[in-house]
Amino acid sequence: MKKLPLEGVRIADLTMMWAGPYATRLLAEMGAEVIKIESPNAWDNIRTLVPQPEATEPWNSSFYFNDYNRDKKSLTLDLAQERGRDVFLDLVKHCDIVIENYRADVLQKLNIDYPVLREAKDNIILVSMAGFGKTGKERTQVGFGPIIEQMAGLASLAGYGDDGEPYKTGISYGDPVGGVAAAGAVSLALINRRRTGEGCHIDLAQRETMAAMIGEAFVAASLRGEAPTHYGNRHPRFAPQGAYRCAGDDQWIVVSVRNDHEWRQLASVIGANEELASLGFDERQARHDELDATIEAWTIEQDAQPAMERLQDAGVPAGRVLDTVAIHDDPHLTARGYWVRLPHPKMTPWRQPASSWRMVEANPHLRRHAPLFGEHNEEILCGLLGLRSDDLRQLESQGIIADAPINPTVG
Amino acid sequence: MTDNILEGVRVLEIGGGVPAAYATRWMAGFGAEVVRIEGPGDALTADEATCLLPGKLRINADDSQLRELAMRADILVEDTKPGTLAAHGLDIASLRAANPALVAVSITPFGQDGPAAAYEATNAVAFAMGGIMSLTGHPSRAPLINAGSQAYYLSGLNGFSAAVTAYYGALQQGEGDHIDISMQECQAGMLELYGPMAEYTGEGPHKRSGNHVRAVWGIYPCADGYAGVCCLERQVKAFFNLVGDPVLQEERFQDRAQRAEHDDELQAILYPWFLSHTKGELLELGAQHRVPIGAVLTPSDLLQNESLHERHFFDSAETAAGTAEFPGRPFLGLPWRPGPLDEAGASTGDVLSRWVEVSA
């Protein structure tokens, strides 16, 4: 059986919320051993962000937490206590990577910043992913995903165009984007260590990796002073392009026509007259409102799925706007085995996404649900660090480790 | 001698679109020799080419030359339609068999197999099928495409990170892999809480909520543009203290459950508060009071941003229209090499002679 690329790599994961945990989920999928470290009184708030009243241990029963923390191990450790910090530094000796997404000044306050980590292990790799980076005037700004999207220029570029209002993406888009970039940074740092024998400190600002996703808008601004244009769902080079309402409740299809041929095909499927069907690009752009009305007069009578299939059969780029239910039932994703049910000791299994990094040969697969709080304390502290059960009891009595949060209502 | 970490790593970029070009952009910056086979002339706009092609060698190659190059590559990144490469004698499975250390990354809208694999798609179509679009835009209007070409860029970003991860595996184990990246899947696995919520609770699809998930999590007009706030429960108190209206101390706003029922009333209080401040004031207040506040900045704003300049974020390149500036190194801590913009086809002879001859 072929090995996954990160087998044998061990990661001390101090990240919380979404950006960091998304990075370490990817790394876990690629075979790394990820040890998620939370303090009994400062733990990953995602565990209870969507409270589930029926759950006896809500911190162990969150679908949100589970989706982004599967295939990891859980170690509780209060880093603010000296003994907890010592245990952590002992763990670092056994790790290749430390990754964190605290605000820029927190690692230093805990006295576990890069120089300290290097004393514990000289070739350690530290990946920091604060919203605005470790340096610069804005380093102490709090950076959640939507804030990152605003501060990176993206929100300024999206909007319907008729009201001047900029629009945020419907998810905290900055988080997973920072996470994917951080996962790549980890692998680059491993390549670097393999070549040079040395570790490094990656200072990743989520705002910067986000801004890199709209590079051409910076080119336009720097060369021509271009201000953002809100195209709505239209496109400067494709016409018509839009989201069109289909039959049913809030069902939509996107159609995106790149050339005259595709337009003719679309016109034929929707039964547009010959005058419309023969329009060239400039005319289609000029009469976009009229074409939208003609297209929607057809789509409104159609179910989204067959409408998409019919247009695609005719060679027209068309896609259903899959909502959060429809995407779980999408025949294509289903055929690709994308949704997977994992057993969970506290929850009824639900369909979770497989890895989006499909290694065709090594074939990464979801192995295990997100860890229960402190589930691997003994395995790591005794098995890896050689502590005895007496030590564990002592750590427990000092509140340095725990199998349940000390303050479970804080979210 | 240089310590660029991908020095000597040979990367072949085929297909020419944003996904492949973005995936290899950072490889070039970290020192790899990235050879771009020119795709169709309209695969990139001039502005996209300016920010995605610096530091790459641009060549033209026929099918047999391409196969020779692929045999000598460490990483191949392509964004052609499934089946296209095979039709040109570049079937990935046979390339992998002949060059076992090769990391090959295919980036497509829907992946290499399945009923939609052959679908025609643009960024908009791929974005629609990824789930994020259903959550974006005003609830009373059509779902909205977000900035630029995010389905393309996101797949390119995943392609980059997956490729260097697999390349590390190839260095360790001697064997590469073929990575099948689907734009749809890159999005479908990051639907925040909304994806798993719909699936787990069975309460139907999550509705898009425009710029306000809640009053304390949204974007508002302010004195000179737009600004936003994103409070977790633990930050609400500090935010209300900052806004200062005494009515916010009342039970219906302090209590989390009651607050949700008075969200419109709360928004009505926050609109004038935001309108009475500029973006600059709001950012400063947010930092002072530890409240997550942001401002909707434009690329022009960011080109002037002090923090970004202090961190030497931007690269520049000379173009026929002048000096362009755009995002450079994605993070600090490893050496970055800003590269010049090559003309289309300019490096054909050089690359063919070095790559093919050296290994012959």
Side-chain angles (χ1 to χ4, degrees):
Chain A
M1 181 111 158
K2 185 161 170 166
K3 281 182 170 177
L4 288 165
L6 298 183
E7 276 185 38
V9 172
R10 186 178 289 133
I11 299 176
D13 179 8
L14 297 171
T15 68
M16 296 191 193
M17 303 301 286
W18 193 18
Y22 192 65
T24 53
R25 170 176 118 183
L26 290 165
L27 297 166
E29 286 166 358
M30 292 299 113
E33 179 186 359
V34 175
I35 301 174
K36 182 178 181 74
I37 300 166
E38 297 165 274
S39 169
N41 57 44
W43 35 279
D44 191 341
N45 283 155
I46 295 289
R47 284 185 177 276
T48 57
L49 197 65
V50 188
Q52 292 173 76
E54 81 284 4
T56 51
E57 295 176 8
W59 55 88
N60 282 331
S61 330
S62 158
F63 52 78
Y64 186 11
F65 179 79
N66 261 273
D67 247 34
Y68 299 102
N69 289 283
R70 63 195 190 205
D71 290 333
K72 303 178 190 176
K73 294 177 178 173
S74 168
L75 170 67
T76 55
L77 213 50
D78 184 354
L79 301 177
Q81 294 196 46
E82 200 181 332
R83 175 77 177 122
R85 179 180 167 275
D86 288 347
V87 173
F88 172 71
L89 290 174
D90 198 20
L91 174 64
V92 168
K93 295 186 173 83
H94 299 268
C95 291
D96 302 283
I97 314 277
V98 176
I99 181 167
E100 55 101 4
N101 66 340
Y102 293 128
R103 209 182 47 234
D105 52 347
V106 172
L107 219 55
Q108 204 162 9
K109 283 185 176 155
L110 290 169
N111 192 18
I112 50 169
D113 53 354
Y114 185 51
V116 177
L117 298 179
R118 280 190 69 179
E119 272 175 43
K121 189 181 190 192
D122 64 359
N123 67 353
I124 195 73
I125 292 161
L126 172 63
V127 176
S128 298
M129 42 189 306
F132 298 89
K134 286 281 193 186
T135 62
K137 191 179 169 218
E138 289 167 331
R139 68 187 177 281
T140 54
Q141 298 265 3
V142 184
F144 293 138
I147 302 271
I148 298 295
E149 189 186 6
Q150 294 164 38
M151 298 288 282
L154 273 85
S156 79
L157 298 173
Y160 290 99
D162 51 9
D163 54 6
E165 189 167 351
Y167 266 84
K168 66 186 283 291
T169 302
I171 57 169
S172 297
Y173 189 54
D175 284 290
V177 167
V180 178
V186 164
S187 294
L188 273 181
L190 284 168
I191 294 166
N192 181 57
R193 191 186 66 176
R194 199 176 183 280
R195 284 181 86 134
T196 65
E198 287 175 20
C200 61
H201 180 192
I202 302 280
D203 170 11
L204 181 151
Q206 293 174 43
R207 185 251 291 267
E208 291 166 357
T209 51
M210 179 98 272
M213 306 284 280
I214 49 164
E216 65 276 5
F218 286 93
V219 174
S222 61
L223 285 181
R224 302 183 296 278
E226 260 183 46
T229 304
H230 292 170
Y231 291 107
N233 288 324
R234 293 185 182 176
H235 192 278
R237 288 176 293 135
F238 307 147
Q241 177 178 291
Y244 302 96
R245 192 183 282 277
C246 295
D249 178 26
D250 201 31
Q251 295 298 305
W252 302 80
I253 187 173
V254 160
V255 179
S256 179
V257 170
R258 295 171 295 196
N259 52 48
D260 294 348
H261 170 71
E262 288 173 355
W263 169 239
R264 278 209 160 267
Q265 293 296 103
L266 170 60
S268 150
V269 171
I270 66 174
N273 65 37
E274 178 55 29
E275 194 265 332
L276 286 181
S278 62
L279 295 180
F281 172 78
D282 290 340
E283 297 159 300
R284 297 200 299 272
Q285 226 20 324
R287 293 168 66 179
H288 209 303
D289 287 346
E290 181 188 348
L291 300 190
D292 283 350
T294 309
I295 295 166
E296 196 156 276
W298 180 77
T299 59
I300 197 75
E301 303 290 331
Q302 315 288 321
D303 289 328
Q305 184 74 23
M308 168 183 76
E309 289 169 5
R310 197 164 157 209
L311 289 170
Q312 284 285 356
D313 283 344
V316 178
R320 185 177 172 189
V321 181
L322 289 170
D323 62 37
T324 51
V325 167
I327 201 161
H328 287 92
D329 298 324
D330 177 43
H332 178 69
L333 289 175
T334 303
R336 284 187 35 100
Y338 183 69
W339 300 109
V340 181
R341 285 180 210 273
L342 276 177
H344 190 287
K346 310 275 180 191
M347 305 176 74
T348 311
W350 67 103
R351 288 173 293 184
Q352 292 180 253
S355 180
S356 49
W357 297 3
R358 282 180 187 264
M359 308 258 162
V360 173
E361 297 161 32
N363 190 21
H365 58 279
L366 280 62
R367 286 159 291 167
R368 197 173 183 280
H369 60 83
L372 307 181
F373 194 77
E375 185 179 350
H376 301 90
N377 283 353
E378 191 178 337
E379 176 189 322
I380 293 157
L381 296 175
C382 300
L384 186 63
L385 302 186
L387 301 191
R388 292 163 317 185
S389 39
D390 286 359
D391 301 323
L392 251 56
R393 276 196 292 277
Q394 202 188 16
L395 289 171
E396 223 166 62
S397 69
Q398 293 167 327
I400 292 170
I401 66 171
D403 58 8
I406 285 171
N407 50 353
T409 56
V410 178
Chain B
M1 285 303 286
T2 160
D3 52 357
N4 286 318
I5 62 169
L6 296 181
E7 185 80 35
V9 177
R10 288 177 161 182
V11 178
L12 204 54
E13 176 198 316
I14 305 174
V18 167
Y22 188 45
T24 60
R25 150 83 173 137
W26 291 357
M27 296 181 199
F30 287 113
E33 182 168 50
V34 177
V35 170
R36 171 182 163 89
I37 314 301
E38 290 305 322
D42 60 355
L44 296 180
T45 65
D47 288 352
E48 286 165 347
T50 298
C51 63
L52 295 175
L53 303 187
K56 298 181 182 179
L57 302 170
R58 302 174 65 179
I59 75 166
N60 300 304
D62 64 28
D63 289 352
S64 75
Q65 289 167 330
L66 208 48
R67 193 176 162 81
E68 289 293 312
L69 292 169
M71 294 296 292
R72 291 158 177 83
D74 300 295
I75 300 173
L76 181 159
V77 181
E78 62 100 3
D79 61 7
T80 64
K81 275 191 81 166
T84 307
L85 286 192
H88 288 265
L90 276 173
D91 165 60
I92 300 269
S94 73
L95 281 179
R96 286 269 312 114
N99 179 4
L102 176 70
V103 171
V105 183
S106 297
I107 307 174
T108 53
F110 306 109
Q112 297 296 303
D113 54 32
Y119 276 14
E120 292 295 334
T122 62
N123 175 75
V125 169
F127 189 62
M129 296 284 278
I132 300 174
M133 186 170 175
S134 77
L135 299 165
T136 303
H138 195 274
S140 71
R141 304 187 69 170
L144 184 66
I145 297 169
N146 65 353
S149 305
Q150 292 308 304
Y152 287 172
Y153 270 94
L154 186 65
S155 66
L157 178 65
N158 275 279
F160 165 79
S161 291
V164 292
T165 301
Y167 179 66
Y168 176 72
L171 290 176
Q172 292 287 96
Q173 301 159 16
E175 273 209 67
D177 209 322
H178 179 203
I179 309 166
D180 170 11
I181 299 275
S182 142
M183 292 177 202
Q184 182 186 29
E185 291 175 0
C186 288
Q187 298 166 71
M190 48 176 259
L191 298 177
E192 202 167 352
L193 69 163
Y194 308 116
M197 183 193 278
E199 167 67 5
Y200 193 76
T201 65
E203 286 170 0
H206 192 83
K207 299 290 185 190
R208 59 190 169 279
S209 56
N211 275 331
H212 293 102
V213 173
R214 296 182 297 279
V216 296
W217 192 278
I219 293 177
Y220 291 87
C222 66
D224 58 349
Y226 288 83
V229 62
C230 292
C231 285
L232 295 176
E233 192 56 30
R234 63 170 187 264
Q235 288 141 345
V236 169
K237 195 176 162 63
F239 179 47
F240 284 1
N241 289 341
L242 169 60
V243 174
D245 190 329
V247 76
L248 295 174
Q249 302 304 325
E250 290 174 15
E251 177 81 6
R252 69 183 187 286
F253 295 123
Q254 290 285 323
D255 178 76
R256 179 184 190 155
Q258 289 188 47
R259 193 189 313 128
E261 284 167 20
H262 295 89
D263 202 64
D264 288 349
E265 198 185 341
L266 182 52
Q267 284 192 38
I269 294 168
L270 296 180
Y271 267 97
W273 184 77
F274 274 95
L275 273 173
S276 67
H277 294 88
T278 63
K279 291 188 272 190
E281 288 165 9
L282 289 163
L283 288 176
E284 205 151 300
L285 287 169
Q288 266 170 29
H289 295 259
R290 290 274 159 84
V291 177
I293 285 180
V296 177
L297 304 180
T298 66
S300 293
D301 294 335
L302 289 163
L303 287 167
Q304 310 297 327
N305 180 277
E306 216 177 300
S307 253
L308 292 175
H309 279 280
E310 216 176 310
R311 289 169 57 77
H312 304 288
F313 176 57
F314 293 107
D315 279 0
S316 61
E318 296 310 317
T319 75
T323 305
E325 283 187 279
F326 45 85
R329 71 350 159 257
F331 34 78
L332 294 166
L334 292 167
W336 175 261
R337 178 187 70 172
L341 271 174
D342 202 0
E343 296 286 327
S347 298
T348 305
D350 165 49
V351 169
L352 287 177
S353 68
R354 280 192 302 111
W355 279 37
V356 177
E357 194 186 65
V358 166
S359 309

